[in-house]
Amino acid sequence: MSPFMRVPAETIPAPPFPRPALWANVAMLRMDQQKGRPVLIEFWDFANPASVRSLEYLKAWDARYGEAGLRVVGVHWPASDLSRGYERVGAAIKRLGVTFPVLIDDQGAYRDEFETPGWPARYLFDGTSWLVHYEHGEGGYRETEEAILELLGSDAEPLAPLRPLDDDDALLAMPTPDQPGAWSGTYTAGEVWAVLEPGPDGPGSLVVDGETVVVDHPGAYRLVAHEVSTTAELVLEPGDGTVVHGVSFAPGLAPGGSGAA
């Protein structure tokens, strides 16, 4: 689970959005024009697997609470040149089905205002632009949604977990640490992801345990999914021109386990 915290009232104000700045899905936003509504800001990177997984909750909250007043804002802060640039970010937003506003923070200037440690990172501000709750890393989705509901004055029930391992009572097994490059070997995980980039001459390919994956865009690809945490052998064979920047292992449900993680 990610570290999360409710913040003492009126201690940390929302930094204003930078101007000038590049935005996707909206011409421009100003923080001072968001008065009267809660604002949820999430720092993410389309080439970061944890960010891509977390996006599903942002999209669900935007759809569920947008009309009630919640403003969801994504801040795309890239880890490297792989995910930097308006065209690449714009294409990823369309591919991932993101419809809420996204600030393109290529140089990390807005990230510096928050001193955000990594991806994903989530900050919830109230209707007077004071920080009330934050999360660093995956997880904590129910806590965030409960804080949103409180700010909206709603007695609705939070969404059911979008994945079984997001349940508060799920017992998770620790995965193998992430590995650089086109790593192959024995791992333990619930899912295997890779950060891939096609070559300059068009779509590339990656053979994963004998099955071919088409690599037609830069970003995070889910290669393997298990129902529970599994120990298995991974064999990667990149095609000509395909770059494997790294392999990422996500936690899975402990086999036969339930209860607090």
Side-chain angles (χ1 to χ4, degrees):
M1 299 293 289
S2 66
F4 65 91
M5 181 175 290
R6 290 294 182 100
V7 180
E10 299 185 358
T11 56
I12 303 176
F17 295 128
R19 297 177 65 188
L22 289 175
W23 287 85
N25 295 335
V26 69
M28 186 188 71
L29 283 183
R30 287 173 45 180
M31 184 63 77
D32 59 3
Q33 293 177 336
Q34 309 307 311
K35 298 291 187 181
R37 65 190 305 172
V39 177
L40 179 66
I41 294 175
E42 175 138 352
F43 288 84
W44 66 289
D45 177 1
F46 74 76
N48 175 267
S51 290
V52 174
R53 294 190 291 267
S54 183
L55 275 181
E56 297 308 309
Y57 282 90
L58 291 185
K59 293 190 293 184
W61 293 333
D62 182 54
R64 193 178 196 200
Y65 303 121
E67 290 188 1
L70 176 68
R71 168 71 81 182
V72 175
V73 177
V75 179
H76 190 273
W77 165 43
S80 69
D81 287 343
L82 175 69
S83 51
R84 182 172 285 114
Y86 183 86
E87 289 187 4
R88 286 195 168 192
V89 177
I93 286 170
K94 292 180 181 178
R95 184 173 64 249
L96 295 167
V98 174
T99 57
F100 50 78
V102 174
L103 169 65
I104 300 175
D105 192 29
D106 267 0
Q107 305 307 316
Y110 198 53
R111 173 267 162 199
D112 291 346
E113 296 285 342
F114 288 76
E115 299 182 354
T116 300
W119 305 265
R122 191 174 311 122
Y123 302 87
L124 179 64
F125 296 90
D126 66 14
T128 56
S129 298
W130 292 100
L131 183 67
V132 297
H133 182 85
Y134 70 85
E135 308 266 355
H136 291 159
E138 285 189 89
Y141 302 114
R142 184 178 181 88
E143 290 86 355
T144 296
E145 189 167 0
E146 287 174 345
I148 291 170
L149 290 168
E150 183 177 324
L151 292 178
L152 293 175
S154 172
D155 58 2
E157 282 294 314
L159 291 167
L162 300 183
R163 304 177 300 168
L165 71 165
D166 296 330
D167 191 287
D168 289 341
D169 293 328
L171 184 64
L172 306 183
M174 290 297 294
T176 295
D178 293 351
Q179 302 292 329
W183 181 88
S184 293
T186 302
Y187 70 90
T188 299
E191 295 180 350
V192 181
W193 291 66
V195 178
L196 307 176
E197 184 175 13
D201 298 326
S205 65
L206 175 69
V207 178
V208 182
D209 301 337
E211 300 290 332
T212 299
V213 174
V214 175
V215 181
D216 57 4
H217 62 266
Y221 288 69
R222 188 175 73 168
L223 304 181
V224 180
H226 302 291
E227 290 188 4
V228 297
S229 182
T230 300
T231 298
E233 190 78 12
L234 179 69
V235 179
L236 299 185
E237 301 173 67
D240 290 343
T242 299
V243 179
V244 182
H245 291 272
V247 180
S248 176
F249 300 95
L253 293 173
S258 63

